[in-house]
Amino acid sequence: MSHLGSQILYSVLNSRSDIACERVYAPWLDMENLLREKDWPLFSIENRLPLSSFDIVGFSLQYELSYTNVLMMLDLGHIPLRPQNRFDEDPLVIAGGPCAMSAEPIADFIDAFALGDGEELVLDVADTYKAWKGSGKTRQELLVMLSLVESVYVPSLYDVKYNADGTIMETTPRLVRLDNGTYQALRAGVDDVVLKDWCFPRDMPCYFRAPKTVRRRVLRSLEDAEFPDKPLIPLMEPIHDRVMVEIFRGCTQACRFCQAGTIYRPVRERDPVTVERLARNLVEVSGYDEVSLVSLSSADYGHIKDLICRLIEENPCGARVSLPSLRVDSFSVELAGILGASRKVGLTLAPEAGSQRMRDIINKKVTEEEILEAATYAFSSGFSHIKLYFMIGLPGETDEDVLAISTLVKKIRQIGRSMKARPTIVASVSGFVPKSNTPFQWEPCIEPAELARRQRLLRSTLRGPGIEYRYHDTKLTWLEAVFARGDRRLSKVLELAYARGARFDAWPNLLDVDLWNKAFSEAGLDPSFFAHRQRNQDEVFPWEHVDTGVTKSYLLSERERAKKGVLTRDCREGCCAGCGVCPGLGVEISLK
Ligand code: SF4
């Protein structure tokens, strides 16, 4: 319910009179047991229809540790787990979301991935399905038809070859034989000359192969994009219980650990007049008393201060305004002050690293002086509770860098004390997981024992009155690191772990490492190969046939700059860093 992407797609699909879209969520363990006990299929919220009665079942993959839940939902929905066991009457299983950009570990369970912005893409998939349904064509032909839709990746049409050392040699589209009628019809429907020659080799009539690489879909502008004007109202209180307006998509701050910074590029702002109109309407129709202006870094929105002031001053319904993501600077604190002036509930900032050296490595363009200045401003504005996000285990990190987190937190506490603010500082420290499509995709994730040592090191100094230290379970970091850069062979591990009872692996009390280790061993795979190995510069990655638009040479150059601690500016400031997205995908930054 808190996921804006799902709300957008729900609205886009239901705005068509020939499509009905309903919701289904992963049931908690007690409900799963009940469904099994009663032999009831998993069903939709709206009309309680069994999952298997839908034409298409779609998943939004937000986090690697939700993969076993996907298997659970298919299983409970009476849909065969693997595409090769599905019949024509079974639903088409599709998936999108950030994890779809490197989804090989779950590829063996998904018929097709929809890559990138979904507003137009989801309708293209639905229309392709409609054209197929009742045409008499086979399910395999549906997959071929889908693979010709821009930004749809059909994993079963690709073969993966491995080197003797377990790395990938190549991922190539396989040849598929079609009947002459289907072949001619599909060929005639393709206008792109390059694609036509590639997909339908001249010397092999009736043979088809999917595109060599699949590019993600990018909306040129958010202005014309569908946005839900009648939001779903939950029947219980979910997290982030408020209406949301997306003020821009994409982020070009270029933090080197951040996958979102790659896969949502470039920045496309929504006009402030449109944002205001959407916000007012949503508050009016929903009855909510809070509207959140969402994006990857909302303080970067060009008109943010004016927009907030107008929404607060002229809002007839008196709804609060909130920003989910702030930069670490005085301007952001000023915005937080405007937003929370009456509540002073607290402020969340993300310096990400304690030392200047580490912040330069990850391209977090903020100095210690600016952080302390922001803290001073926050305390003087009346905030007394500051939450700070950090990561440890970053590439090139030393014990001094880890301990610098403690030094920084104490400096901030001291500022608060000197201003008689009786400060509470919460330091939330997570283990760094290298992600695909980032400049750190070649780096190893540190081993759980070493991560635990660095956590203990930090705990030994990060204590005292007014300081709270929170850290993530090392086993979550470990499993996320395996699946974040895993290949297709991990599908077997997923299936085995699911069969042994793995569910809700993102819940530390439910994640069973022994169970997972048994699954790895039964599948003959070493989790360290995926999580803790330094990749060679020329290694072929499992996600390379999926094209984000950002070039490998750009990521490599950012990796080199990270090693030297050289900063890269935000290209919104008018200095293109040459990431490749704009020329490659035929889009451009759109500022309002
Ligand atoms: S191509 Fe240049 S301007 Fe466009 S997103 Fe990349 S760095 Fe920014």
Side-chain angles (χ1 to χ4, degrees):
M1 286 303 299
S2 311
H3 179 232
L4 181 59
S6 298
Q7 297 242 6
I8 292 174
L9 298 183
Y10 185 87
S11 169
V12 166
L13 288 164
N14 282 323
S15 67
R16 282 258 302 254
S17 59
D18 57 340
I19 301 173
C21 171
E22 304 201 354
R23 291 165 294 154
V24 62
Y25 300 102
W28 189 248
L29 307 176
D30 54 353
M31 182 64 167
E32 181 190 351
N33 289 339
L34 193 67
L35 289 172
R36 290 192 192 282
E37 197 184 299
K38 304 272 184 194
D39 198 23
W40 290 339
L42 185 61
F43 52 83
S44 66
I45 303 282
E46 280 79 358
N47 284 303
R48 302 191 179 189
L49 299 172
L51 222 52
S52 58
S53 70
F54 285 83
D55 291 316
I56 303 175
V57 169
F59 292 92
S60 180
L61 303 176
Q62 296 292 315
Y63 186 31
E64 293 83 354
L65 298 192
S66 69
Y67 289 170
T68 51
N69 283 7
V70 173
L71 270 58
M72 183 227 322
M73 291 174 75
L74 291 173
D75 195 12
L76 288 176
H78 298 177
I79 300 169
L81 293 187
R82 291 185 176 261
Q84 61 267 33
N85 298 330
R86 291 176 197 144
F87 293 102
D88 286 359
E89 57 276 16
D90 285 318
L92 176 77
V93 178
I94 63 170
C99 293
M101 300 306 297
S102 50
E104 289 304 289
I106 198 169
D108 277 357
F109 309 106
I110 304 294
D111 288 310
F113 290 98
L115 309 174
D117 296 336
E119 286 92 337
E120 294 169 355
L121 181 50
V122 74
L123 292 178
D124 290 348
V125 170
D127 284 334
T128 306
Y129 186 91
K130 276 190 75 183
W132 171 80
K133 194 178 178 183
S135 68
K137 292 191 170 75
T138 63
R139 194 174 174 97
Q140 169 79 355
E141 284 167 323
L142 168 64
L143 296 180
V144 168
M145 288 164 74
L146 282 166
S147 73
L148 284 167
V149 175
E150 183 196 343
S151 308
V152 173
Y153 164 49
V154 179
S156 60
L157 298 181
Y158 294 76
D159 284 322
V160 188
K161 286 195 194 125
Y162 299 90
N163 295 309
D165 64 2
T167 56
I168 290 176
M169 184 187 290
E170 58 179 359
T171 303
T172 45
R174 70 166 59 134
L175 282 166
V176 179
R177 187 168 167 80
L178 301 172
D179 73 61
N180 191 38
T182 307
Y183 172 84
Q184 296 296 350
L186 285 176
R187 197 171 186 281
V190 175
D191 295 329
D192 185 315
V193 178
V194 179
L195 205 60
K196 197 171 222 160
D197 282 352
W198 167 262
C199 295
F200 304 94
R202 281 168 196 275
D203 51 341
M204 302 179 78
C206 287
Y207 275 93
F208 167 86
R209 65 183 164 201
K212 211 191 274 185
T213 55
V214 185
R215 281 200 165 168
R216 79 179 156 106
R217 188 79 67 96
V218 182
L219 291 178
R220 277 182 177 67
S221 157
L222 288 197
E223 273 315 291
D224 312 320
E226 172 96 20
F227 196 81
D229 54 1
K230 296 184 197 73
L232 288 159
I233 309 295
L235 300 174
M236 54 189 277
E237 190 182 343
I239 191 167
H240 307 315
D241 194 18
R242 54 205 171 211
V243 281
M244 294 169 273
V245 180
E246 186 183 22
I247 53 178
F248 67 89
R249 199 169 292 178
C251 174
T252 39
Q253 286 278 354
C255 298
R256 294 178 178 127
F257 56 84
C258 180
Q259 188 187 53
T262 296
I263 63 174
Y264 295 110
R265 279 179 179 234
V267 168
R268 288 143 292 156
E269 289 188 340
R270 188 166 259 137
D271 194 296
V273 176
T274 315
V275 174
E276 238 183 297
R277 177 175 52 75
L278 290 169
R280 286 177 198 291
N281 170 63
L282 287 172
V283 168
E284 242 170 72
V285 301
S286 70
Y288 269 104
D289 61 358
E290 183 173 348
V291 57
S292 183
L293 304 177
V294 302
S295 71
L296 288 168
S297 175
S298 293
D300 288 341
Y301 182 64
H303 306 270
I304 192 68
K305 196 170 163 189
D306 290 349
L307 177 65
I308 289 172
C309 291
R310 271 206 309 279
L311 282 172
I312 290 176
E313 281 164 25
E314 296 168 24
N315 186 349
C317 305
R320 294 193 306 272
V321 181
S322 62
L323 297 181
S325 50
L326 289 170
R327 297 187 310 233
V328 192
D329 60 15
S330 296
F331 177 64
S332 294
V333 179
E334 185 188 344
L335 295 179
I338 298 170
L339 295 171
S342 59
R343 295 179 293 150
K344 311 292 185 228
V345 287
L347 187 67
T348 302
L349 302 171
E352 311 288 7
S355 69
Q356 194 59 50
R357 195 184 78 86
M358 275 322 302
R359 285 194 296 275
D360 291 347
I361 287 177
I362 63 177
N363 201 42
K364 189 81 192 177
K365 300 177 280 298
V366 61
T367 63
E368 179 166 307
E369 203 184 341
E370 286 165 327
I371 297 171
L372 299 181
E373 205 178 279
T376 308
Y377 192 75
F379 290 126
S380 68
S381 310
F383 290 100
S384 57
H385 182 86
I386 297 183
K387 187 171 183 187
L388 300 165
Y389 281 114
F390 295 99
M391 284 181 286
I392 55 173
L394 287 158
E397 183 181 83
T398 63
D399 284 358
E400 286 70 40
D401 297 312
V402 175
L403 291 170
I405 292 175
S406 171
T407 310
L408 182 63
V409 170
K410 285 178 178 168
K411 280 185 185 171
I412 292 174
R413 179 182 63 175
Q414 188 49 39
I415 291 172
R417 283 179 171 174
S418 71
M419 301 174 81
K420 300 194 172 40
R422 305 186 87 205
T424 317
I425 318 292
V426 177
S428 177
V429 185
S430 59
F432 169 65
V433 174
K435 295 277 176 167
S436 61
N437 295 303
T438 69
F440 292 153
Q441 63 182 350
W442 290 270
E443 310 301 338
C445 180
I446 62 171
E447 308 253 357
E450 173 58 14
L451 181 56
R453 187 193 69 78
R454 293 188 202 185
Q455 287 176 340
R456 285 194 302 274
L457 179 70
L458 194 50
R459 193 171 49 203
S460 67
T461 58
L462 194 51
R463 51 172 57 160
I467 291 178
E468 199 183 314
Y469 168 43
R470 295 182 192 162
Y471 55 95
H472 285 201
D473 198 314
T474 56
K475 60 186 192 235
L476 294 179
T477 306
W478 166 74
L479 195 60
E480 184 184 339
V482 171
F483 280 94
R485 292 178 299 165
D487 63 41
R488 207 178 276 199
R489 292 170 299 180
L490 287 174
S491 293
K492 186 73 200 154
V493 180
L494 267 181
E495 200 171 22
L496 289 165
Y498 168 69
R500 287 175 179 274
R503 311 277 190 281
F504 292 96
D505 300 293
W507 275 249
N509 55 331
L510 293 183
L511 174 55
D512 181 342
V513 172
D514 287 345
L515 177 159
W516 277 97
N517 275 327
K518 279 181 192 139
F520 280 114
S521 136
E522 212 174 312
L525 291 170
D526 176 7
S528 298
F529 176 84
F530 303 100
H532 307 308
R533 182 172 56 89
Q534 172 83 52
R535 271 74 166 167
N536 284 331
Q537 196 158 301
D538 51 3
E539 180 168 333
V540 176
F541 290 132
W543 50 90
E544 267 181 40
H545 51 297
V546 165
D547 183 5
T548 63
V550 172
T551 61
K552 200 170 181 179
S553 58
Y554 168 79
L555 295 178
L556 276 169
S557 76
E558 279 299 295
R559 184 187 188 210
E560 288 310 308
R561 289 168 80 87
K563 285 180 186 164
K564 294 179 194 143
V566 178
L567 297 177
T568 298
R569 284 169 63 192
D570 186 333
C571 60
R572 254 173 304 199
E573 295 162 14
C575 46
C576 174
C579 80
V581 158
C582 294
L585 301 185
V587 287
E588 52 188 42
I589 287 183
S590 161
L591 305 177
K592 298 295 175 188

